[in-house]
Amino acid sequence: MHIFAVANQKGGVGKTTTTVNLAAALAQHGQRTLLVDLDPQGNATMGCGVDKQGLKESVYHVLLGLAELGQARLPSTTGSYTARFDVLPANRELAGAEVEMVDLEAREMRLKRALAAHRDDYDFVLIDCPPSLSMLTLNGLCAAHGVIIPMQCEYYALEGLSDLVNTIKKVHANLNRDLKIIGLLRVMFDNRSTLSKQVSDQLEQHFGDKVFKTLVPRNVRLAEAPSYGMPGVVFDRAAKGAQAYLAFAEEMIERVKTWKEEA
Ligand code: ATP
Ligand code: MG
């Protein structure tokens, strides 16, 4: 089981779109996949066709030890795949978890522990982190083997990246020796823009093979899909954006073949 956190403390950079579409694309490629929604906004939950209103159990209950992951996960209702595609959903209730977890022991390890009991259920676990470096994101980083960082190729893209990289380094040093940055994913790419190309080249120069080969273009079909409660790769599989996420899933499947998973 490979566990990846999709993180960037910047808002609106494409974390949720990446998590939902990569998860659905992996399932379409026959990989048993679990999406963990760690954002109280619950956008990833809705984007997989799971209604966030009136959830009996959610990731909140799992983090607080009020429910087991097996009780709280739900199958994504979007598309029929050869492999299972489950969601550990989130909603507003999760916003309270931060404060309520204060008195719990090893509070940054709650998600890691919950996933450990299900390590044989999935090939991939993808965690959608909120736009902050909070206790929720920390739970994501402590549970993960790697971090996927979606980035827009715009002028301020690199700003704030060092905060994220430093946080990942600290987590690696103190809490999770397994953690690595697997890669930067260029999203909302506009190939008619010179600036997009310049920033993209700059990323490649600075980060080398830490930059994924796949480029996700700006594509309106990806933005429309959530309003239908579907991942873009289900909503319009032929669209350029969907095709990019399907290619990214293949790149990830190849990547983990040479990836040493620690026990
Ligand atoms: P937040 O920080 O609020 O959690 P996020 O990083 O999860 O945001 P998304 O919600 O995935 O970002 O994307 C922000 C907006 O950009 C959404 O409206 C989404 O539909 C749109 N979007 C994401 N990727 C693309 C794309 N490749 N092409 C067009 N629109 C996109
Ligand atoms: Mg999001």
Side-chain angles (χ1 to χ4, degrees):
M1 185 163 92
H2 302 285
I3 307 173
F4 297 119
V6 180
N8 190 332
Q9 78 279 19
K10 271 199 180 186
V13 295
K15 293 179 289 293
T16 300
T17 304
T18 295
T19 314
V20 167
N21 283 285
L22 177 59
L26 285 167
Q28 289 189 6
H29 283 303
Q31 305 292 315
R32 299 167 303 156
T33 303
L34 172 70
L35 183 152
V36 177
D37 192 350
L38 269 189
D39 190 339
Q41 296 179 100
N43 292 342
T45 299
M46 298 292 284
C48 293
V50 172
D51 187 2
K52 68 180 175 184
Q53 311 297 341
L55 291 170
K56 235 171 104 206
E57 269 127 9
S58 67
V59 68
Y60 165 84
H61 300 87
V62 172
L63 290 174
L64 286 173
L66 303 170
E68 212 272 321
L69 190 147
Q71 299 168 274
R73 69 183 164 194
L74 292 165
S76 169
T77 54
T78 57
S80 56
Y81 301 114
T82 51
R84 73 189 286 184
F85 174 22
D86 292 342
V87 181
L88 179 55
N91 60 23
R92 292 294 315 153
E93 213 173 357
L94 182 59
E98 195 101 7
V99 174
E100 292 166 50
M101 279 159 72
V102 164
D103 293 330
L104 300 180
E105 43 89 39
R107 63 202 160 111
E108 64 282 345
M109 298 294 179
R110 311 292 296 187
L111 180 62
K112 185 189 174 84
R113 288 186 186 171
L115 289 172
H118 291 271
R119 53 175 304 142
D120 297 325
D121 294 359
Y122 302 102
D123 301 304
F124 284 91
V125 177
L126 297 181
I127 305 168
D128 185 28
C129 294
S132 63
L133 296 172
S134 60
M135 181 51 62
L136 291 171
T137 297
L138 197 55
N139 259 271
L141 296 179
C142 286
H145 303 117
V147 189
I148 296 168
I149 306 175
M151 298 193 64
Q152 270 179 271
C153 292
E154 54 173 33
Y155 190 66
Y156 293 111
L158 293 170
E159 199 176 87
L161 186 60
S162 59
D163 291 337
L164 178 59
V165 171
N166 285 335
T167 300
I168 293 167
K169 279 188 185 153
K170 274 189 215 153
V171 172
H172 173 84
N174 302 309
L175 296 163
N176 178 6
R177 297 300 297 179
D178 291 346
L179 191 67
K180 286 190 225 170
I181 295 176
I182 352 170
L184 306 177
L185 178 69
R186 293 163 288 178
V187 298
M188 296 187 232
F189 189 77
D190 178 0
N191 59 12
R192 286 163 310 180
S193 138
T194 326
L195 181 63
S196 254
K197 281 193 202 118
Q198 281 172 353
V199 174
S200 169
D201 290 348
Q202 231 176 9
L203 283 176
E204 282 178 343
Q205 276 161 24
H206 278 70
F207 297 98
D209 61 7
K210 288 257 187 253
V211 181
F212 289 110
K213 286 196 223 69
T214 308
L215 263 164
V216 179
R218 187 173 284 282
N219 179 244
V220 67
R221 303 298 273 168
L222 286 175
E224 288 169 354
S227 60
Y228 296 87
M230 281 186 223
V233 295
V234 177
F235 177 60
D236 184 355
R237 202 169 192 275
K240 285 215 165 72
Q243 288 293 313
Y245 278 113
L246 285 161
F248 183 43
E250 284 181 43
E251 191 177 349
M252 285 301 299
I253 292 167
E254 280 306 308
R255 201 73 167 238
V256 298
K257 283 184 188 161
T258 53
W259 176 272
K260 205 169 124 266
E261 186 183 332
E262 252 105 273

